[in-house]
Amino acid sequence: MNAVVLTGAVMTHPRRRAAAEAIAAKDPRGRVRVVTDPDPSGPPTALRTANPSWACVGTDATHHVVFQDDVLIAENFFPCAEQVAAAVPGEAVAFYEGWEGRNSGVVRLGALTGARWAYAIDEHVPSLALMLPAEAARGYERFAAEHGDGWPYDVVIQRYLKALDIPVRLAVPSTVDHDDVPSIAGNSTHGWRRATYFTDRAEFSPEPDAPCPAFPVVPFYQYGEAKCAVRQPEGWEHLDTDRYLRRVGLLDRCEAGLAEADLPDLPGTVCRQVWLTAFATGAVVAGLTDREPEPAAAAAVFDALGPGGLCEEYTGAELLPMIPLVRDLALTAFAEGRAAHRAAAPTPRPAPLPGVVVTGGDPAFGAQLARLLTDAGHPAVHAERLDPAAPGVRQAPDAVIHLGTPHDTRYPLADLLADAEKLGARRLVHAGSAAVYRGGPAEDRTEDSVTEAPRDPEARLWWDAEQQCRAWGRQSGTPVQVVRFAEPVGPHAPLTGVLADWMLRAWTRRPMTLVEGRRHQITDYRDMAEALAALLARPAGPEVCNVASADYDETALAELVTETARRTPWEQAPASAPHTPLMSTRLITAETGWRPSAPLSAGARAQAQWLACDTHDDLAGLWA
């Protein structure tokens, strides 16, 4: 154990100074200061008050803890905090995790496996009560000044800790809870917020080797949707829980259990999403330990499941009678999930040999697309180049899907085509862009609307790439199809479209600029995969197909941003550049039967969360 000198601060607004002073007084040694907003009349944001709250770390301090002013603190908190700091002096420690976050699933797994600590997955850092090593606390203000740029406080501090390679350790259970008072920072729109699992007396496990797991799979329930965070080589993948269960061979058992369950008087969608979450949690827990969960801990973490997943849709008064109904259903599903995992075959089935290779574009987006194609029945692998030595790439693949962009110099199209010919690819699908129609006069553009090189420079680049692929196909005798996608939406999607630009503006408190009369099309990343799978399921047909999930006018698209990212104002502006008109998608539907099916609000929210929580490795690109 190392000697610890702890200081602290409570960040507050002058209107809540009395509450902050009461929190500071919880430390019997008087080491916690009250720090008020330096610009209390400015736009409500915790970011502004966080800077002086971290900067006031004591001169001789080894650690500094910052509270927000709406917390409840467990008895014995400060001695426990000092013991934790001594045991893990180089880590960040979050003493609170709310029931509405991805990391609620981490706390739930920790409680159900008997862990007292667990490492957070990528998400905004829970900052209601956060302790940092003193040197990290001293450096935060400078980082926020250079990189904050309007992003939410818990996002900025997540990126700061990532830049320092400091892990975030979550207390299981939390020793700080959220007091149910209106949020000065404007977070009341997120609904009723409490800890996933809270104890009113803090205790420290003295064992030096006390486990602090980093879970590779984390089921969670958020925004009314059952999701799983799955660690992949390129980072965390967040996918629908039914898709995860299908991958691991447990979806049929899950569905059968749900069909036989005595369901409570709750909406059918709620029952299904709760069942999926708890069943997957049971399966994951069974893969980690044979121990029986502590009944009180299991009841507590499943008490929090419903409010966490539904707090933005229902009021606290509406959620209260739902809590025991959700808990009992979840406990049943949890037991089913544990049993299903134990009954599964002990040896995993071998993965099917990939017949599809995805190249080009952002590597993380390509890897994500390959997994989605595999889920859709077309085993695929992502490769940055068509190299037979790359894992999963074989001679004469059934198809190569190239995420073409004329701005990508990492893998020039000419090189890709030459490599495809050497490898003996049986089919090439060029994932192009609706930008080829840019500057055109008509809406509802069909695939044969562009018959000669466009005048718009951006459209011309896409057109030239298409023509290069077609010419190669004629020369090599390889079937070539061009798929023109509307703006992709989802994790790892390109940041070049209007929706991405508006989301970045919303996150960084800049107004969106709306252009009167403009209309937009977007393509959900899951619809993108399903459309490609529909084409691959048939012999090569039309040379060109258009794909889009939905279209929006300016106001509707702006409202989608405010619902899935952050509420932000917008302003009107005259058109300053050519815009891409709407495409017709009738051809691909007629040829394959494909229709968009992905819930677009979920895809947009996934993109917004990725921008906020998962892009910390490319700070320069986001703030340019």
Side-chain angles (χ1 to χ4, degrees), residues 529-558:
E530 293 292 340
L532 289 168
L535 289 171
L536 294 176
R538 303 168 60 87
E543 200 171 46
V544 181
C545 286
N546 295 332
V547 172
S549 296
D551 61 86
Y552 294 81
D553 62 23
E554 289 282 280
T555 301
L557 192 68

PDB file of all heavy atoms in Angstrom, residues 529-558:
ATOM      1  N   ALA A 529     -25.734  -3.741 -45.295  1.00  0.00           N
ATOM      2  CA  ALA A 529     -25.303  -5.136 -45.332  1.00  0.00           C
ATOM      3  C   ALA A 529     -26.393  -6.027 -45.907  1.00  0.00           C
ATOM      4  O   ALA A 529     -26.115  -6.934 -46.717  1.00  0.00           O
ATOM      5  CB  ALA A 529     -24.925  -5.598 -43.929  1.00  0.00           C
ATOM      6  N   GLU A 530     -27.633  -5.799 -45.518  1.00  0.00           N
ATOM      7  CA  GLU A 530     -28.724  -6.640 -46.011  1.00  0.00           C
ATOM      8  C   GLU A 530     -28.921  -6.453 -47.512  1.00  0.00           C
ATOM      9  O   GLU A 530     -29.232  -7.419 -48.230  1.00  0.00           O
ATOM     10  CB  GLU A 530     -30.011  -6.318 -45.254  1.00  0.00           C
ATOM     11  CG  GLU A 530     -29.990  -6.697 -43.776  1.00  0.00           C
ATOM     12  CD  GLU A 530     -29.958  -8.202 -43.554  1.00  0.00           C
ATOM     13  OE1 GLU A 530     -30.326  -8.952 -44.475  1.00  0.00           O
ATOM     14  OE2 GLU A 530     -29.557  -8.622 -42.448  1.00  0.00           O
ATOM     15  N   ALA A 531     -28.755  -5.236 -48.020  1.00  0.00           N
ATOM     16  CA  ALA A 531     -28.885  -5.003 -49.461  1.00  0.00           C
ATOM     17  C   ALA A 531     -27.783  -5.731 -50.222  1.00  0.00           C
ATOM     18  O   ALA A 531     -28.030  -6.354 -51.267  1.00  0.00           O
ATOM     19  CB  ALA A 531     -28.858  -3.507 -49.758  1.00  0.00           C
ATOM     20  N   LEU A 532     -26.559  -5.652 -49.715  1.00  0.00           N
ATOM     21  CA  LEU A 532     -25.458  -6.371 -50.361  1.00  0.00           C
ATOM     22  C   LEU A 532     -25.688  -7.876 -50.304  1.00  0.00           C
ATOM     23  O   LEU A 532     -25.438  -8.594 -51.278  1.00  0.00           O
ATOM     24  CB  LEU A 532     -24.140  -6.005 -49.694  1.00  0.00           C
ATOM     25  CG  LEU A 532     -23.634  -4.580 -49.952  1.00  0.00           C
ATOM     26  CD1 LEU A 532     -22.494  -4.234 -49.005  1.00  0.00           C
ATOM     27  CD2 LEU A 532     -23.197  -4.410 -51.405  1.00  0.00           C
ATOM     28  N   ALA A 533     -26.188  -8.364 -49.180  1.00  0.00           N
ATOM     29  CA  ALA A 533     -26.466  -9.798 -49.056  1.00  0.00           C
ATOM     30  C   ALA A 533     -27.544 -10.226 -50.047  1.00  0.00           C
ATOM     31  O   ALA A 533     -27.466 -11.317 -50.636  1.00  0.00           O
ATOM     32  CB  ALA A 533     -26.894 -10.120 -47.628  1.00  0.00           C
ATOM     33  N   ALA A 534     -28.551  -9.373 -50.247  1.00  0.00           N
ATOM     34  CA  ALA A 534     -29.613  -9.699 -51.200  1.00  0.00           C
ATOM     35  C   ALA A 534     -29.060  -9.794 -52.618  1.00  0.00           C
ATOM     36  O   ALA A 534     -29.466 -10.662 -53.405  1.00  0.00           O
ATOM     37  CB  ALA A 534     -30.723  -8.652 -51.121  1.00  0.00           C
ATOM     38  N   LEU A 535     -28.133  -8.933 -52.959  1.00  0.00           N
ATOM     39  CA  LEU A 535     -27.513  -9.002 -54.287  1.00  0.00           C
ATOM     40  C   LEU A 535     -26.642 -10.242 -54.420  1.00  0.00           C
ATOM     41  O   LEU A 535     -26.646 -10.917 -55.454  1.00  0.00           O
ATOM     42  CB  LEU A 535     -26.685  -7.740 -54.543  1.00  0.00           C
ATOM     43  CG  LEU A 535     -27.466  -6.444 -54.763  1.00  0.00           C
ATOM     44  CD1 LEU A 535     -26.518  -5.248 -54.782  1.00  0.00           C
ATOM     45  CD2 LEU A 535     -28.259  -6.504 -56.072  1.00  0.00           C
ATOM     46  N   LEU A 536     -25.878 -10.544 -53.375  1.00  0.00           N
ATOM     47  CA  LEU A 536     -24.983 -11.704 -53.442  1.00  0.00           C
ATOM     48  C   LEU A 536     -25.749 -13.024 -53.498  1.00  0.00           C
ATOM     49  O   LEU A 536     -25.213 -14.040 -53.957  1.00  0.00           O
ATOM     50  CB  LEU A 536     -24.049 -11.715 -52.234  1.00  0.00           C
ATOM     51  CG  LEU A 536     -23.026 -10.580 -52.144  1.00  0.00           C
ATOM     52  CD1 LEU A 536     -22.240 -10.688 -50.850  1.00  0.00           C
ATOM     53  CD2 LEU A 536     -22.093 -10.576 -53.342  1.00  0.00           C
ATOM     54  N   ALA A 537     -26.981 -13.020 -53.037  1.00  0.00           N
ATOM     55  CA  ALA A 537     -27.770 -14.248 -53.028  1.00  0.00           C
ATOM     56  C   ALA A 537     -28.254 -14.640 -54.420  1.00  0.00           C
ATOM     57  O   ALA A 537     -28.790 -15.737 -54.594  1.00  0.00           O
ATOM     58  CB  ALA A 537     -28.972 -14.093 -52.091  1.00  0.00           C
ATOM     59  N   ARG A 538     -28.052 -13.765 -55.404  1.00  0.00           N
ATOM     60  CA  ARG A 538     -28.507 -14.024 -56.765  1.00  0.00           C
ATOM     61  C   ARG A 538     -27.329 -13.876 -57.731  1.00  0.00           C
ATOM     62  O   ARG A 538     -26.333 -13.219 -57.401  1.00  0.00           O
ATOM     63  CB  ARG A 538     -29.601 -13.024 -57.167  1.00  0.00           C
ATOM     64  CG  ARG A 538     -30.799 -13.024 -56.231  1.00  0.00           C
ATOM     65  CD  ARG A 538     -31.704 -11.828 -56.496  1.00  0.00           C
ATOM     66  NE  ARG A 538     -32.210 -11.834 -57.855  1.00  0.00           N
ATOM     67  CZ  ARG A 538     -33.313 -12.478 -58.248  1.00  0.00           C
ATOM     68  NH1 ARG A 538     -34.012 -13.173 -57.359  1.00  0.00           N
ATOM     69  NH2 ARG A 538     -33.727 -12.433 -59.501  1.00  0.00           N
ATOM     70  N   PRO A 539     -27.446 -14.464 -58.898  1.00  0.00           N
ATOM     71  CA  PRO A 539     -26.417 -14.188 -59.910  1.00  0.00           C
ATOM     72  C   PRO A 539     -26.354 -12.696 -60.192  1.00  0.00           C
ATOM     73  O   PRO A 539     -27.340 -11.969 -60.031  1.00  0.00           O
ATOM     74  CB  PRO A 539     -26.915 -14.977 -61.131  1.00  0.00           C
ATOM     75  CG  PRO A 539     -27.835 -16.012 -60.575  1.00  0.00           C
ATOM     76  CD  PRO A 539     -28.473 -15.409 -59.361  1.00  0.00           C
ATOM     77  N   ALA A 540     -25.181 -12.232 -60.594  1.00  0.00           N
ATOM     78  CA  ALA A 540     -25.001 -10.807 -60.861  1.00  0.00           C
ATOM     79  C   ALA A 540     -26.076 -10.321 -61.826  1.00  0.00           C
ATOM     80  O   ALA A 540     -26.240 -10.860 -62.925  1.00  0.00           O
ATOM     81  CB  ALA A 540     -23.614 -10.545 -61.432  1.00  0.00           C
ATOM     82  N   GLY A 541     -26.838  -9.325 -61.407  1.00  0.00           N
ATOM     83  CA  GLY A 541     -27.938  -8.816 -62.207  1.00  0.00           C
ATOM     84  C   GLY A 541     -27.669  -7.429 -62.736  1.00  0.00           C
ATOM     85  O   GLY A 541     -26.693  -7.220 -63.464  1.00  0.00           O
ATOM     86  N   PRO A 542     -28.476  -6.448 -62.332  1.00  0.00           N
ATOM     87  CA  PRO A 542     -28.303  -5.086 -62.860  1.00  0.00           C
ATOM     88  C   PRO A 542     -26.895  -4.570 -62.585  1.00  0.00           C
ATOM     89  O   PRO A 542     -26.314  -4.821 -61.528  1.00  0.00           O
ATOM     90  CB  PRO A 542     -29.354  -4.277 -62.102  1.00  0.00           C
ATOM     91  CG  PRO A 542     -30.352  -5.274 -61.631  1.00  0.00           C
ATOM     92  CD  PRO A 542     -29.592  -6.532 -61.385  1.00  0.00           C
ATOM     93  N   GLU A 543     -26.369  -3.824 -63.546  1.00  0.00           N
ATOM     94  CA  GLU A 543     -25.011  -3.302 -63.399  1.00  0.00           C
ATOM     95  C   GLU A 543     -24.943  -2.220 -62.335  1.00  0.00           C
ATOM     96  O   GLU A 543     -23.893  -2.020 -61.707  1.00  0.00           O
ATOM     97  CB  GLU A 543     -24.528  -2.752 -64.744  1.00  0.00           C
ATOM     98  CG  GLU A 543     -23.023  -2.629 -64.830  1.00  0.00           C
ATOM     99  CD  GLU A 543     -22.551  -2.298 -66.231  1.00  0.00           C
ATOM    100  OE1 GLU A 543     -23.149  -1.393 -66.851  1.00  0.00           O
ATOM    101  OE2 GLU A 543     -21.605  -2.936 -66.710  1.00  0.00           O
ATOM    102  N   VAL A 544     -26.062  -1.514 -62.107  1.00  0.00           N
ATOM    103  CA  VAL A 544     -26.104  -0.432 -61.118  1.00  0.00           C
ATOM    104  C   VAL A 544     -27.395  -0.557 -60.320  1.00  0.00           C
ATOM    105  O   VAL A 544     -28.455  -0.823 -60.884  1.00  0.00           O
ATOM    106  CB  VAL A 544     -26.047   0.957 -61.788  1.00  0.00           C
ATOM    107  CG1 VAL A 544     -26.073   2.057 -60.723  1.00  0.00           C
ATOM    108  CG2 VAL A 544     -24.810   1.089 -62.656  1.00  0.00           C
ATOM    109  N   CYS A 545     -27.296  -0.367 -58.988  1.00  0.00           N
ATOM    110  CA  CYS A 545     -28.469  -0.333 -58.112  1.00  0.00           C
ATOM    111  C   CYS A 545     -28.326   0.824 -57.129  1.00  0.00           C
ATOM    112  O   CYS A 545     -27.219   1.118 -56.661  1.00  0.00           O
ATOM    113  CB  CYS A 545     -28.621  -1.634 -57.332  1.00  0.00           C
ATOM    114  SG  CYS A 545     -29.215  -3.028 -58.298  1.00  0.00           S
ATOM    115  N   ASN A 546     -29.442   1.443 -56.808  1.00  0.00           N
ATOM    116  CA  ASN A 546     -29.486   2.482 -55.775  1.00  0.00           C
ATOM    117  C   ASN A 546     -29.976   1.870 -54.470  1.00  0.00           C
ATOM    118  O   ASN A 546     -30.897   1.037 -54.474  1.00  0.00           O
ATOM    119  CB  ASN A 546     -30.459   3.599 -56.160  1.00  0.00           C
ATOM    120  CG  ASN A 546     -30.027   4.361 -57.392  1.00  0.00           C
ATOM    121  OD1 ASN A 546     -28.841   4.462 -57.689  1.00  0.00           O
ATOM    122  ND2 ASN A 546     -30.991   4.910 -58.116  1.00  0.00           N
ATOM    123  N   VAL A 547     -29.405   2.304 -53.345  1.00  0.00           N
ATOM    124  CA  VAL A 547     -29.814   1.809 -52.024  1.00  0.00           C
ATOM    125  C   VAL A 547     -29.919   2.983 -51.056  1.00  0.00           C
ATOM    126  O   VAL A 547     -28.974   3.767 -50.926  1.00  0.00           O
ATOM    127  CB  VAL A 547     -28.830   0.760 -51.473  1.00  0.00           C
ATOM    128  CG1 VAL A 547     -29.167   0.414 -50.025  1.00  0.00           C
ATOM    129  CG2 VAL A 547     -28.851  -0.498 -52.327  1.00  0.00           C
ATOM    130  N   ALA A 548     -31.061   3.091 -50.400  1.00  0.00           N
ATOM    131  CA  ALA A 548     -31.272   4.088 -49.345  1.00  0.00           C
ATOM    132  C   ALA A 548     -32.308   3.543 -48.385  1.00  0.00           C
ATOM    133  O   ALA A 548     -33.194   2.773 -48.769  1.00  0.00           O
ATOM    134  CB  ALA A 548     -31.727   5.420 -49.926  1.00  0.00           C
ATOM    135  N   SER A 549     -32.208   3.934 -47.113  1.00  0.00           N
ATOM    136  CA  SER A 549     -33.162   3.480 -46.104  1.00  0.00           C
ATOM    137  C   SER A 549     -34.374   4.398 -46.009  1.00  0.00           C
ATOM    138  O   SER A 549     -35.493   3.932 -45.806  1.00  0.00           O
ATOM    139  CB  SER A 549     -32.484   3.398 -44.731  1.00  0.00           C
ATOM    140  OG  SER A 549     -31.461   2.433 -44.721  1.00  0.00           O
ATOM    141  N   ALA A 550     -34.167   5.696 -46.101  1.00  0.00           N
ATOM    142  CA  ALA A 550     -35.271   6.651 -45.930  1.00  0.00           C
ATOM    143  C   ALA A 550     -34.807   8.017 -46.397  1.00  0.00           C
ATOM    144  O   ALA A 550     -33.605   8.269 -46.574  1.00  0.00           O
ATOM    145  CB  ALA A 550     -35.715   6.712 -44.471  1.00  0.00           C
ATOM    146  N   ASP A 551     -35.793   8.907 -46.590  1.00  0.00           N
ATOM    147  CA  ASP A 551     -35.452  10.294 -46.931  1.00  0.00           C
ATOM    148  C   ASP A 551     -36.103  11.238 -45.926  1.00  0.00           C
ATOM    149  O   ASP A 551     -37.114  10.913 -45.298  1.00  0.00           O
ATOM    150  CB  ASP A 551     -35.882  10.626 -48.365  1.00  0.00           C
ATOM    151  CG  ASP A 551     -37.377  10.496 -48.590  1.00  0.00           C
ATOM    152  OD1 ASP A 551     -38.106  11.483 -48.327  1.00  0.00           O
ATOM    153  OD2 ASP A 551     -37.824   9.423 -49.034  1.00  0.00           O
ATOM    154  N   TYR A 552     -35.471  12.390 -45.769  1.00  0.00           N
ATOM    155  CA  TYR A 552     -35.886  13.391 -44.790  1.00  0.00           C
ATOM    156  C   TYR A 552     -35.804  14.776 -45.413  1.00  0.00           C
ATOM    157  O   TYR A 552     -34.909  15.044 -46.230  1.00  0.00           O
ATOM    158  CB  TYR A 552     -34.940  13.385 -43.567  1.00  0.00           C
ATOM    159  CG  TYR A 552     -34.980  12.143 -42.727  1.00  0.00           C
ATOM    160  CD1 TYR A 552     -34.270  11.003 -43.098  1.00  0.00           C
ATOM    161  CD2 TYR A 552     -35.708  12.107 -41.546  1.00  0.00           C
ATOM    162  CE1 TYR A 552     -34.290   9.859 -42.315  1.00  0.00           C
ATOM    163  CE2 TYR A 552     -35.729  10.968 -40.750  1.00  0.00           C
ATOM    164  CZ  TYR A 552     -35.018   9.846 -41.136  1.00  0.00           C
ATOM    165  OH  TYR A 552     -35.039   8.725 -40.360  1.00  0.00           O
ATOM    166  N   ASP A 553     -36.706  15.673 -44.974  1.00  0.00           N
ATOM    167  CA  ASP A 553     -36.475  17.074 -45.293  1.00  0.00           C
ATOM    168  C   ASP A 553     -35.526  17.648 -44.242  1.00  0.00           C
ATOM    169  O   ASP A 553     -35.133  16.958 -43.296  1.00  0.00           O
ATOM    170  CB  ASP A 553     -37.783  17.857 -45.392  1.00  0.00           C
ATOM    171  CG  ASP A 553     -38.572  17.895 -44.081  1.00  0.00           C
ATOM    172  OD1 ASP A 553     -37.963  17.722 -43.000  1.00  0.00           O
ATOM    173  OD2 ASP A 553     -39.795  18.115 -44.135  1.00  0.00           O
ATOM    174  N   GLU A 554     -35.156  18.911 -44.418  1.00  0.00           N
ATOM    175  CA  GLU A 554     -34.155  19.510 -43.523  1.00  0.00           C
ATOM    176  C   GLU A 554     -34.567  19.440 -42.053  1.00  0.00           C
ATOM    177  O   GLU A 554     -33.789  19.055 -41.192  1.00  0.00           O
ATOM    178  CB  GLU A 554     -33.920  20.976 -43.913  1.00  0.00           C
ATOM    179  CG  GLU A 554     -33.182  21.189 -45.205  1.00  0.00           C
ATOM    180  CD  GLU A 554     -31.687  20.964 -45.064  1.00  0.00           C
ATOM    181  OE1 GLU A 554     -30.984  21.846 -44.588  1.00  0.00           O
ATOM    182  OE2 GLU A 554     -31.237  19.872 -45.444  1.00  0.00           O
ATOM    183  N   THR A 555     -35.819  19.816 -41.781  1.00  0.00           N
ATOM    184  CA  THR A 555     -36.257  19.877 -40.387  1.00  0.00           C
ATOM    185  C   THR A 555     -36.321  18.496 -39.770  1.00  0.00           C
ATOM    186  O   THR A 555     -35.894  18.289 -38.623  1.00  0.00           O
ATOM    187  CB  THR A 555     -37.629  20.562 -40.295  1.00  0.00           C
ATOM    188  OG1 THR A 555     -37.530  21.887 -40.844  1.00  0.00           O
ATOM    189  CG2 THR A 555     -38.093  20.662 -38.858  1.00  0.00           C
ATOM    190  N   ALA A 556     -36.824  17.510 -40.523  1.00  0.00           N
ATOM    191  CA  ALA A 556     -36.930  16.153 -39.982  1.00  0.00           C
ATOM    192  C   ALA A 556     -35.545  15.576 -39.688  1.00  0.00           C
ATOM    193  O   ALA A 556     -35.352  14.881 -38.678  1.00  0.00           O
ATOM    194  CB  ALA A 556     -37.692  15.260 -40.951  1.00  0.00           C
ATOM    195  N   LEU A 557     -34.571  15.849 -40.548  1.00  0.00           N
ATOM    196  CA  LEU A 557     -33.221  15.352 -40.294  1.00  0.00           C
ATOM    197  C   LEU A 557     -32.611  16.031 -39.071  1.00  0.00           C
ATOM    198  O   LEU A 557     -31.934  15.398 -38.257  1.00  0.00           O
ATOM    199  CB  LEU A 557     -32.336  15.566 -41.520  1.00  0.00           C
ATOM    200  CG  LEU A 557     -30.983  14.843 -41.482  1.00  0.00           C
ATOM    201  CD1 LEU A 557     -31.176  13.328 -41.563  1.00  0.00           C
ATOM    202  CD2 LEU A 557     -30.076  15.315 -42.619  1.00  0.00           C
ATOM    203  N   ALA A 558     -32.859  17.335 -38.940  1.00  0.00           N
ATOM    204  CA  ALA A 558     -32.350  18.047 -37.768  1.00  0.00           C
ATOM    205  C   ALA A 558     -32.976  17.508 -36.484  1.00  0.00           C
ATOM    206  O   ALA A 558     -32.307  17.379 -35.450  1.00  0.00           O
ATOM    207  CB  ALA A 558     -32.635  19.543 -37.904  1.00  0.00           C
TER     208      ALA A 558
END
